[in-house]
Amino acid sequence: MDKPLCGTKKGVHSADRSSLSIMNGIKGLGLGFSKALLRLHFFSLLLALGSFVWGYNVGVLASVLAHPGFRETIPGYGPYRRDLITAIYYLGTWLSYVFFSRPATDLLGRRYAAMVGMSVLCVGQALQAAASGSVALSLVMFGRVVSGLGTGIVSTSVPLYQSEIAPAKQRGKLVVLNHVGFVAGLASGFWVGYAITFWNNSHGYLGGWRLSVSLSFIPALFFLVGLPFLYESPRWLVEHGRTDEALKALQFYREGSFTPSQIQSELTDIKRNVSAYQATSLKKWTSLFTNPSLFSRLWRAALLHFMAQMCGATAMKYYLPELFRVLGLSPRVSLLAGGIESTLKIGCTVLEMFVIDRVGRRVTMAVGAGIMAFALLINGALPLVYPNNTNRAADYTCVVFIFIYSLGYGMGFGPAAWVYGSEIFPTAARARGLSFAASGGAVGSIIVSQLWPIGIAELGSEIYFFFMAVNLACVPIIFLLYPETKGRPLEDMEVLFGGYESGTPSTTSLLVADERDDGNEEDEENETLDRPLLGDGRGMAR
């Protein structure tokens, strides 16, 4: 039996060279644009509907909280209850990430977990829309928690599925498509809220906010109807001993873009990875904390999700209309500006789809954090120089830089945190790893949703400087602590983080390395296949 070779050009077997020649021949014939590629993008768009519903519910809440009919429905409505309604949703997502999303995605599969999560989310929305009378606040609060529980399952199962069906070189793009769905939903929520302001008769006063909440059922229905037509994730199928089905799923998503031998090689790599982990004690949830390799991934992913919310994103999502009103815009124009800001964010995230697999995860996150820090600096400084809206040009400049902040988030932490967290864990630990990691984002959201309104009330625009400092601190953290993962097969993350056979790259990675050597040396930084790293993560970043 041949000794495993390192991922350099000299170590590639002749069989691998033959496969590479076939692959290059396919590219030369233009067969890269294939049925499989169309299926990948179509079903990723369908899956993005799950995130669309999530984003819609986030975006529409800003207008619901400002709706006079809603304020009258909630007894004793005021800033405290407003902030409580906002924050308690993240208690639901945290509970889901820690206790429910992992069992659902591992036991039911990625597809059916997403269906269960969406159903629970819709129940929560129905409870909120039905709130009335003396129990209105209780129904809204309970509905928010239930919606958070469903969102936690949907927001982990969807990127897991997208990550596990995507080829290595397209994984970033396809998982970012999930975030495109989120920001499209966010924008739709703001636009619906803006449109509802024109329904100003008695029926609109009583039912406008209820209609805006209920409209999320329409994309949810399309999502639930479409999911059964998807194949289950091939990696989940292998983990549950259904290898024949896994091969069919791989063929469905690779046909025309990869040769049969390459598809078989990918299946072999998946089986090897799953078997190696099933032979150990790493199936236990405690292994995320006791195994050095898994823990090095867990704390990085959790910190990344935490930073993605502590950068100020939660406040921008929920309190955006109020921020615009502070800058002198009317309530209706504030909702209009929120819709424009969220729509621009869609374009930024689409642009990120075509960038993240070229420049890498670290660069996009670091550049995005830098852009956000500068935008927050402007929004903190100008109101101090021109207080009480004494200079309209300064106020409008702040509005523009809120848009620029969204550019940084849409091309940085927003999508990249989910891409990174969904790809670094092995198959046997991927669902629970991403779930625990995402709980860090829920904690960050709870902190920001409480900190921001207090900071605005006590410090005014100076609170922006705190979040500016957070973003600046994120830049060196990203480059010092996070290894680059772009273009690397899921089964090769052991090379970066250590594991059961961290010195043995997969067959897929050998082909990728040889192709890279035969072309130009455009990605020297990611060339670590022959440089195994320690399980505790030391030496990851240069």
Side-chain angles (χ1 to χ4, degrees), residues 155-156 159-160 305 418 421-422 425 429-439:
S155 63
T156 51
L160 276 176
H305 279 272
W418 288 100
S422 66
F425 293 97
R430 188 168 294 126
R432 67 178 184 270
L434 180 58
S435 296
F436 274 109
S439 69

Side-chain angles (χ1 to χ4, degrees), residues 261-282:
S261 62
Q262 289 170 338
I263 297 171
Q264 190 64 52
S265 294
E266 184 176 0
L267 180 64
T268 300
D269 289 336
I270 296 171
K271 290 163 60 179
R272 184 187 67 174
N273 182 274
V274 170
S275 298
Y277 274 96
Q278 287 181 336
T280 68
S281 61
L282 299 184

Side-chain angles (χ1 to χ4, degrees), residues 28-360:
L29 291 172
L31 298 179
F33 188 77
S34 60
K35 289 182 180 179
L37 194 62
L38 291 175
R39 291 166 182 163
L40 280 168
H41 285 81
F42 176 78
F43 287 121
S44 291
L45 280 171
L46 173 64
L47 289 162
L49 281 177
S51 293
F52 180 94
V53 176
W54 172 24
Y56 178 85
N57 292 335
V58 171
V60 82
L61 182 70
S63 64
V64 169
L65 294 176
H67 195 279
F70 177 80
R71 294 188 172 197
E72 184 177 304
T73 300
I74 304 300
Y77 184 85
Y80 171 75
R81 293 195 169 182
R82 177 202 63 192
D83 299 340
L84 188 60
I85 290 170
T86 301
I88 201 166
Y89 170 80
Y90 289 104
L91 174 62
T93 60
W94 182 84
L95 290 171
S96 183
Y97 289 141
V98 174
F99 297 108
F100 302 114
S101 61
R102 194 284 304 172
T105 50
D106 273 350
L107 298 177
L108 301 177
R110 312 328 188 197
R111 290 182 307 159
Y112 290 112
M115 293 179 70
V116 169
M118 183 59 70
S119 301
V120 172
L121 193 159
C122 288
V123 170
Q125 293 300 105
L127 289 171
Q128 294 173 65
S132 62
S134 60
V135 296
L137 178 62
S138 298
L139 276 176
V140 169
M141 298 279 284
F142 184 60
R144 291 280 290 165
V145 172
V146 173
S147 291
L149 291 173
T151 297
I153 298 174
V154 172
S155 63
T156 51
S157 57
V158 168
L160 276 176
Y161 184 90
Q162 289 171 318
S163 178
E164 291 180 344
I165 65 170
K169 288 191 173 183
Q170 297 178 336
R171 187 171 61 244
K173 178 176 68 174
L174 292 175
V175 179
V176 169
L177 192 57
N178 177 57
H179 195 74
V180 173
F182 174 82
V183 295
L186 192 69
S188 299
F190 274 108
W191 285 117
V192 167
Y194 173 69
I196 290 294
T197 64
F198 292 94
W199 189 15
N200 49 20
N201 58 23
S202 59
H203 295 294
Y205 184 83
L206 295 174
W209 70 270
R210 300 180 195 275
L211 174 63
S212 61
V213 170
S214 302
L215 286 176
S216 63
F217 297 143
I218 297 174
L221 179 63
F222 282 101
F223 182 75
L224 291 171
V225 170
L227 280 181
F229 293 96
L230 277 66
Y231 278 86
E232 184 51 80
S233 159
R235 287 166 172 82
W236 184 87
L237 290 170
V238 169
E239 188 180 7
H240 288 76
R242 296 157 64 176
T243 307
D244 291 340
E245 294 177 59
L247 179 58
K248 290 180 181 178
L250 277 177
Q251 289 170 337
F252 183 76
Y253 288 121
R254 301 289 185 268
E255 180 186 0
S257 297
F258 296 85
T259 66
S261 62
Q262 289 170 338
I263 297 171
Q264 190 64 52
S265 294
E266 184 176 0
L267 180 64
T268 300
D269 289 336
I270 296 171
K271 290 163 60 179
R272 184 187 67 174
N273 182 274
V274 170
S275 298
Y277 274 96
Q278 287 181 336
T280 68
S281 61
L282 299 184
K283 288 279 288 182
K284 299 178 181 178
W285 71 268
T286 53
S287 63
L288 285 171
F289 302 92
T290 58
N291 179 269
S293 173
L294 293 184
F295 185 67
S296 71
R297 309 174 203 216
L298 177 64
W299 71 257
R300 283 177 172 83
L303 177 61
L304 195 58
H305 279 272
F306 182 74
M307 293 190 298
Q309 300 307 317
M310 288 302 296
C311 68
T314 299
M316 291 294 181
K317 285 181 283 193
Y318 284 114
Y319 300 114
L320 189 60
E322 293 190 23
L323 297 179
F324 285 137
R325 284 200 292 272
V326 169
L327 294 171
L329 302 183
S330 68
R332 179 174 289 172
V333 175
S334 295
L335 288 172
L336 174 63
I340 295 172
E341 182 266 352
S342 299
T343 303
L344 291 175
K345 196 180 293 182
I346 298 174
C348 297
T349 310
V350 170
L351 182 61
E352 170 77 346
M353 284 178 55
F354 299 99
V355 171
I356 193 168
D357 283 322
R358 293 180 178 272
V359 303

